[in-house]
Amino acid sequence: MLRPSALRQLLSQGTAGTIQATILTTRSGEYLDYVLRNDLQNQSVSSSSLNQSQKNQINVKSLCAIICSVYQSYQKLSHAFADILNYVIIDCDMYRLAIRPVGNHLICICADSNTGLGILKLKINSLADSLSSILNFAIYS
Amino acid sequence: MRKKVLLMGKSGSGKTSMRAIIFANYIPRDTRRLGATIEVNQTYFKFLGNLVLNLWDCGGQDHFMENYFTLQRENIFKNVEVMVYVFDVESLEIDKDIIYYQRCLESLAQHSPNAKIFVLIHKMDLIHDKYRDDTFNKRKEEISAFSKFLDVKCFKTSIWDETLYRAWSCIVQELVLNSSLLENSLNDFADVSEADEILLFEKTTLLIVSQSLRKENTDLKRFERISNIIKQFKINCNRFDTTFQSIEIKNGNLTVIIDVFTSNTYIMVIVTNPNITPALTIHNIKYAQKHFEHLETSQPQT
């Protein structure tokens, strides 16, 4: 089981530096929880400036739907080559994404485009390791 | 595990209608076509895994009542777990009703001294709203006077609103075997998933079997109202050849998820924290299902 406050704390630990968002989602594109770096920075800011940051915020719902769809496509491709897909790193114009499966869920880290790929890989793997004992238990029990 | 439940009361007080609505998916309007019960109508109802409710719906005609206290006394009043006595609030023969009630208590004391007793003041919808509480309190006092030394719980009920569900939920909660264990598990579950309230409903009757409340709520009638609403919705779904599976409601104030939980129950989880997504709560529910299924199937056989 996932205690919401503990999960959020775990996800926010990764959302620092150039990381914009950390998201835990189901395979079908529904997010379980997410942490945006804007939220963490603006926790003590007045409401007027909050509206501004809301406009710059990543649309998490759309992002989830897209990354799940993208991940599934790559997974199908890897099956065709009799290969197992471990994780996907996508280099886009504005962001860099890392997507990794944990049990029946996906973790996604969304970072600035100047983030090092190595740090991205390290973060997604350590996050997956922390969550795997909880999420994998759900399948096998 | 069989538990005997006696349903007694004068003829026409509403016993069979009650039974039809709670256990047989009747809507209140349909109870009009029910006729007088002849002698005792015994039904078995499987409830929560290995609990079987043996419901004895005893016809209330004078002739039958006399029979119950004389020839069939031991047969009727032996091994009773719960007796539900129904009073018609509009009855003109209150004294006669009380006499029958007393005779039931005597017979019960003789043959099943440990039985729990519930009194339902029925057909409350026939009393005007503003007089309802007074009438109920008056009757309750009268009945308590005649049931001295016995722990009798009184409810005011009507088939036309949710009060019937409240009474029967309490009755059924007395019969559930491991209710404290169930409640503790629900409390733990509410704690971890950070839910405000969790209710556990029995699958067919939609009666509340157990609950966990983490936050205070001023609406005390919400439980039975929810039972009533969901039951009506379920009956309507059946009419259109579909089966009710789950409901998910999310608005600015709260998230409500009602879903199939174990093979005999539905769960209702209420979360007011806007940061907790329905997907997360559903994940937690699916995870907890296994534990509660195990709780249900491993009840002690006594």
Side-chain angles (χ1 to χ4, degrees):
Chain A
M1 280 179 76
L2 297 167
R3 188 185 281 268
S5 48
L7 177 65
R8 186 156 282 219
Q9 204 183 37
L10 182 65
L11 294 179
S12 59
Q13 279 174 5
T15 317
T18 54
I19 308 292
Q20 292 287 350
T22 312
I23 309 163
L24 177 66
T25 147
T26 59
R27 295 279 183 136
S28 51
E30 239 189 303
Y31 59 82
L32 265 70
D33 202 3
Y34 66 91
V35 174
L36 299 175
R37 205 185 72 200
N38 284 339
D39 285 344
L40 291 177
Q41 283 176 345
N42 294 332
Q43 262 164 15
S44 53
V45 169
S46 66
S47 55
S48 53
S49 46
L50 211 58
N51 285 330
Q52 179 62 36
S53 66
Q54 274 176 0
K55 286 176 196 163
N56 296 334
Q57 265 189 9
I58 301 166
N59 187 339
V60 182
K61 257 191 193 169
S62 319
L63 181 63
C64 273
I66 295 169
I67 60 173
C68 290
S69 171
V70 164
Y71 188 83
Q72 272 183 8
S73 313
Y74 278 106
Q75 199 174 30
K76 277 186 203 158
L77 212 64
S78 73
H79 281 156
F81 292 108
D83 199 2
I84 305 168
L85 187 63
N86 288 330
Y87 56 88
V88 173
I89 293 185
I90 308 172
D91 199 356
C92 306
D93 276 340
M94 293 184 66
Y95 300 106
R96 272 185 176 168
L97 298 164
I99 312 167
R100 213 198 118 141
V102 183
N104 282 336
H105 306 275
L106 292 178
I107 302 182
C108 171
I109 293 182
C110 181
D112 286 340
S113 48
N114 57 3
T115 311
L117 293 174
I119 193 77
L120 210 56
K121 181 183 168 187
L122 200 64
K123 282 208 163 178
I124 195 108
N125 283 337
S126 64
L127 201 56
D129 289 337
S130 321
L131 284 170
S132 64
S133 53
I134 311 161
L135 293 175
N136 280 333
F137 183 66
I139 316 173
Y140 298 125
S141 63
Chain B
M1 176 91 244
R2 251 188 222 175
K3 296 216 172 178
K4 181 170 168 182
V5 177
L6 266 191
L7 195 51
M8 297 209 94
K10 216 185 71 171
S11 118
S13 49
K15 305 179 290 295
T16 309
S17 300
M18 248 189 230
R19 182 167 65 87
I21 290 176
I22 297 282
F23 294 99
N25 285 337
Y26 270 55
I27 56 170
R29 201 179 43 201
D30 288 347
T31 58
R32 277 185 210 170
R33 51 187 166 98
L34 289 170
T37 314
I38 308 297
E39 287 245 9
V40 179
N41 200 328
Q42 259 197 67
T43 44
Y44 293 92
F45 189 80
K46 195 159 179 241
F47 202 87
L48 279 198
N50 54 7
L51 176 65
V52 174
L53 293 185
N54 182 201
L55 220 59
W56 289 51
D57 182 3
C58 306
Q61 252 78 4
D62 287 342
H63 171 67
F64 298 136
M65 291 290 258
E66 288 304 323
N67 218 0
Y68 302 150
F69 298 127
T70 49
L71 292 167
Q72 293 194 45
R73 195 179 171 110
E74 198 179 328
N75 180 34
I76 303 273
F77 292 99
K78 199 175 61 173
N79 291 332
V80 173
E81 202 71 40
V82 162
M83 181 178 83
V84 181
Y85 200 89
V86 183
F87 283 98
D88 181 346
V89 77
E90 279 213 329
S91 164
L92 300 165
E93 304 171 309
I94 302 176
D95 294 331
K96 195 173 164 195
D97 295 344
I98 299 272
I99 291 173
Y100 274 139
Y101 173 61
Q102 276 189 300
R103 288 175 81 179
C104 278
L105 290 184
E106 280 162 16
S107 314
L108 212 60
Q110 193 185 358
H111 296 284
S112 309
N114 295 325
K116 299 188 184 80
I117 303 162
F118 290 86
V119 166
L120 305 188
I121 315 290
H122 198 51
K123 303 193 189 174
M124 287 303 287
D125 52 286
L126 297 172
I127 307 282
H128 195 282
D129 223 344
K130 53 181 181 171
Y131 302 123
R132 251 177 230 180
D133 284 334
D134 288 335
T135 316
F136 172 63
N137 288 328
K138 206 176 94 178
R139 285 300 182 89
K140 188 175 168 183
E141 271 171 35
E142 280 170 17
I143 288 162
S144 307
F146 289 105
S147 343
K148 35 197 172 181
F149 309 127
L150 288 167
D151 180 24
V152 171
K153 293 194 177 81
C154 285
F155 294 94
K156 55 181 189 308
T157 57
S158 164
I159 57 171
W160 296 100
D161 61 32
E162 72 281 348
T163 48
L164 187 66
Y165 288 90
R166 172 148 191 266
W168 278 93
S169 285
C170 288
I171 293 167
V172 140
Q173 280 175 30
E174 285 290 336
L175 297 165
V176 170
L177 286 168
N178 56 356
S179 52
S180 55
L181 186 61
L182 207 56
E183 196 169 329
N184 288 337
S185 296
L186 272 188
N187 285 334
D188 289 339
F189 179 39
D191 199 32
V192 174
S193 56
E194 292 178 15
D196 286 21
E197 269 184 34
I198 301 188
L199 301 176
L200 212 62
F201 298 95
E202 195 277 328
K203 217 169 200 178
T204 319
T205 58
L206 267 286
L207 292 173
I208 293 181
V209 166
S210 191
Q211 64 214 45
S212 168
L213 312 171
R214 275 177 83 227
K215 229 187 204 177
E216 288 292 310
N217 194 314
T218 47
D219 185 3
L220 297 169
K221 293 187 188 170
R222 62 193 187 282
F223 303 118
E224 50 267 28
R225 278 196 191 135
I226 293 166
S227 278
N228 197 7
I229 292 169
I230 302 183
K231 183 113 190 243
Q232 298 308 314
F233 184 65
K234 191 165 173 252
I235 291 173
N236 281 326
C237 283
N238 288 340
R239 252 194 227 150
F240 292 101
D241 273 338
T242 54
T243 40
F244 164 70
Q245 166 104 0
S246 70
I247 295 177
E248 188 184 308
I249 302 169
K250 184 163 168 63
N251 63 25
N253 295 326
L254 51 68
T255 309
V256 176
I257 295 169
I258 303 168
D259 203 349
V260 174
F261 199 43
T262 63
S263 44
N264 300 300
T265 56
Y266 283 110
I267 194 169
M268 176 176 186
V269 179
I270 299 168
V271 176
T272 51
N273 185 344
N275 293 329
I276 302 174
T277 55
L280 185 55
T281 313
I282 290 172
H283 168 86
N284 285 335
I285 291 173
K286 296 245 175 311
Y287 187 83
Q289 263 177 344
K290 298 171 192 79
H291 171 75
F292 283 90
E293 187 77 63
H294 176 71
L295 261 185
E296 237 174 68
T297 49
S298 66
Q299 282 176 19
Q301 296 281 350
T302 47

